[in-house]
Amino acid sequence: MTSNRRPTAKELASRSKSNCGCQKSSFLKFMVKSIMVAKKILLGLTYYLPNISGVTQYAVILAEELQKRKYEVGVISSGKTRQVNGIKVHGIQGRGIGKGYIMPMYWWKSFELVKRYDVINCHLPSVESFWLALWGRLLGKRVVVTH
């Protein structure tokens, strides 16, 4: 019978060492450490619920699963600040142009939010991800890009 216990970061890292010892295992260790140690994760994307797209659906599934595992999850997105299924969505006001969205204050709001989180997850394609990645790197946060 298997246990429903989540493996520790140390256990996962030791499993990756036993593979081939290549760069892939060091990347796996980095990801395991990023997610297992961090308690606060910020997801950044252009649109979040109620807007529906493939990127949105992936981000919703990711955010809700991380929340179930007791991580504090925040989302920075266009629109108004709101709660969606218990997840805080930090909305940035702007103007829609076609499928795009111009958010003049994104650079400032993203800087304020990145300071509060441990891991920054940028969802591409999103021009705004530049700011999240920049602030994350400058502030020494772990930055994960999803495309």
Side-chain angles (χ1 to χ4, degrees):
M1 234 169 131
T2 60
S3 169
N4 287 338
R5 176 181 78 76
R6 281 180 36 207
T8 66
K10 199 175 205 178
E11 290 170 339
L12 289 171
S14 68
R15 287 183 202 167
S16 67
K17 283 181 189 171
S18 64
N19 289 344
C20 64
C22 60
Q23 281 186 329
K24 191 174 184 180
S25 66
S26 61
F27 178 73
L28 178 63
K29 283 196 302 192
F30 170 77
M31 289 303 297
V32 166
K33 275 185 159 179
S34 296
I35 300 300
M36 296 297 286
V37 173
K39 295 293 180 200
K40 296 177 166 186
I41 302 170
L42 178 67
L43 281 64
L45 60 157
T46 305
Y47 297 106
Y48 197 71
L49 293 178
N51 296 310
I52 302 294
S53 72
V55 175
T56 303
Q57 290 175 331
Y58 179 82
V60 167
I61 292 167
L62 179 62
E64 290 176 357
E65 286 300 317
L66 287 169
Q67 185 183 41
K68 284 179 192 174
R69 291 179 167 94
K70 307 294 183 216
Y71 293 98
E72 182 183 323
V73 180
V75 175
I76 182 170
S77 179
S78 60
K80 295 181 179 178
T81 298
R82 58 204 182 272
Q83 287 274 38
V84 178
N85 299 330
I87 295 167
K88 175 82 171 193
V89 179
H90 304 275
I92 310 289
Q93 295 299 317
R95 168 166 282 168
I97 297 178
K99 287 185 176 181
Y101 206 79
I102 305 286
M103 297 176 271
M105 292 306 294
Y106 192 94
W107 67 275
W108 177 253
K109 180 85 174 201
S110 62
F111 179 70
E112 290 298 315
L113 288 171
V114 166
K115 289 192 292 187
R116 292 189 236 158
Y117 288 87
D118 303 317
V119 175
I120 312 304
N121 182 210
C122 307
H123 289 265
L124 301 180
S126 171
V127 174
E128 297 82 18
S129 289
F130 164 77
W131 292 110
L132 290 174
L134 176 67
W135 302 141
R137 296 297 289 176
L138 289 175
L139 295 171
K141 309 294 181 157
R142 300 211 185 255
V143 177
V144 179
V145 178
T146 306
H147 186 268

